[in-house]
Amino acid sequence: MRVMLTGANGFIGRALETRLLSSSEYELIPVVRHEIDGLKSAKWVGDIDGSTQWSSVLDAVDVIIHTAATVKAEKHSDSSPMSEFRRVNVEGTLNLARQAAQAGVRRFIFISSIKVNGELTLLGKPFTPDDRPLPQDSYGISKYEAEVDLTHLANETGMDVVIIRPPLVYGPGVKGNFASMVRMLEKRIPLPLGTIHNKRSLVALDNLVDLIVTCIGHPGAANQIFLAGDGDDMSTTELLQRLGRALGKPARLISLPARLLTFIAALLGKKAVAQRLCGSLQVDISKAREILGWEPPITVDEGLRRAVEGFKN
């Protein structure tokens, strides 16, 4: 099966490329925006937007996995951040999908985001794929708009569209807030997060990759939306404790009431950070289990161990 992978040099793309190349079942076409050292075999197509020409890489492709996206818009003098998100995440995605349908591609797998569902859940009431979307920021809105356009295109053309919405993804090479958390634990910095009673769903990189690969050929995946996750939700306190064990450096946690922590963070202009640390965001992965027969292949603790190993290396 001939599979084209966009964003092959990204965090998720690199792991997908490794997995697909390890199987004789797939002929992989890795695609990047620009020529990159170390990825000499990759095809490059330039900037991804509504005018990108994909014909040179679509020949005889069966399935496309579209991971390429803008997660942090660069503001140009003549455009707003929202327009930048739409240029790549909406117009770029739909342009690729249209050309894919015309070229006879059978399935288009779109890596979206749990931000389409929203930013927070009530404790014990996880997001499901059927919930009414409530994206809050420009990135989430752009991903939702792309999903809507892809669904219309699937109805018009008959090309299968599979949408996967992951929450925070962690694994070797992870950056952002997760990497900052690892650095603080490694330095044994005391953190005022010892009594946080929220629940958050994460997804290990290897688990997400396994779900994506499952969707390549599974007939039940056609025109479905799946939420990705490890199936083991944790409080922020528990995450830090388990991450500390993976590091071999027990977390130094100070007990501070969540309300007080949120109040202090708001005074410091860090309300959004406190929301992520103290609020709940849970996802229900039962649809993937029931339709695809999928189970996360590795545990949270193994995923954290692999993330820490990658961090140390």
Side-chain angles (χ1 to χ4, degrees):
M1 184 181 294
R2 195 170 171 88
V3 178
M4 190 180 97
L5 170 65
T6 71
N9 59 318
F11 175 52
I12 297 171
R14 289 195 305 270
L16 266 169
E17 182 180 28
T18 299
R19 170 70 180 270
L20 294 171
L21 287 174
S22 70
S23 172
S24 59
E25 185 178 350
Y26 307 108
E27 179 187 352
L28 181 64
I29 306 168
V31 177
V32 295
R33 301 185 201 198
H34 305 288
E35 192 171 12
I36 297 173
D37 289 340
L39 282 172
K40 298 299 185 184
S41 62
K43 308 291 185 180
W44 51 287
V45 294
D47 288 337
I48 296 176
D49 55 28
S51 63
T52 307
Q53 294 301 311
W54 295 91
S55 57
S56 63
V57 291
L58 285 174
D59 184 44
V61 167
D62 298 298
V63 176
I64 291 175
I65 305 173
H66 187 45
T67 74
T70 285
V71 297
K72 186 176 181 181
E74 297 180 6
K75 189 178 184 305
H76 296 283
S77 59
D78 60 345
S79 61
S80 67
M82 186 68 242
S83 68
E84 285 300 298
F85 278 115
R86 284 185 170 131
R87 183 178 68 84
V88 178
N89 297 349
V90 184
E91 297 164 19
T93 296
L94 190 61
N95 176 48
L96 168 59
R98 279 201 191 103
Q99 293 185 46
Q102 291 169 358
V105 173
R106 291 187 285 116
R107 179 164 290 182
F108 190 97
I109 302 175
F110 179 57
I111 308 307
S112 185
S113 169
I114 198 60
K115 282 179 169 286
V116 170
N117 284 75
E119 297 289 339
L120 294 172
T121 58
L122 295 175
L123 189 63
K125 294 192 177 294
F127 284 134
T128 75
D130 298 323
D131 290 339
R132 182 167 66 92
L134 287 171
Q136 302 295 308
D137 64 8
S138 298
Y139 175 71
I141 291 169
S142 71
K143 284 291 191 176
Y144 174 57
E145 290 177 352
E147 288 188 13
V148 171
D149 288 345
L150 287 172
T151 301
H152 290 325
L153 184 70
N155 292 333
E156 293 170 4
T157 65
M159 180 177 69
D160 291 347
V161 168
V162 184
I163 294 167
I164 298 175
R165 297 178 188 160
L168 188 149
V169 185
Y170 64 96
V174 67
K175 297 179 181 178
N177 293 330
F178 194 93
S180 298
M181 194 180 297
V182 174
R183 284 191 289 269
M184 287 188 285
L185 288 172
E186 189 174 47
K187 294 176 181 177
R188 304 299 310 281
I189 296 173
L191 300 171
L193 300 166
T195 52
I196 307 300
H197 302 297
N198 61 345
K199 287 291 184 181
R200 296 192 74 90
S201 300
L202 310 180
V203 63
L205 181 59
D206 290 313
N207 286 340
L208 177 58
V209 165
D210 192 75
L211 176 59
I212 295 169
V213 172
T214 299
C215 288
I216 290 176
H218 198 296
N223 303 313
Q224 298 290 343
I225 299 173
F226 299 105
L227 305 188
D230 291 329
D232 184 1
D233 299 344
M234 300 173 284
S235 68
T236 299
T237 300
E238 185 183 0
L239 170 60
L240 290 166
Q241 291 168 338
R242 294 168 80 167
L243 190 52
R245 287 196 292 270
L247 272 166
K249 296 184 178 181
R252 300 177 66 188
L253 302 178
I254 300 169
S255 295
L256 193 68
R259 287 185 179 180
L260 178 57
L261 182 64
T262 301
F263 176 72
I264 294 171
L267 291 178
L268 298 173
K270 301 291 184 181
K271 185 177 180 180
V273 175
Q275 184 183 71
R276 288 193 292 270
L277 292 172
C278 301
S280 293
L281 194 161
Q282 295 176 268
V283 304
D284 183 346
I285 63 171
S286 60
K287 183 175 180 179
R289 284 173 160 150
E290 292 164 4
I291 292 179
L292 306 176
W294 178 78
E295 286 291 335
I298 68 169
T299 65
V300 167
D301 291 315
E302 176 61 17
L304 294 175
R305 187 195 68 77
R306 294 181 186 185
V308 165
E309 184 178 333
F311 178 83
K312 289 181 177 179
N313 290 337

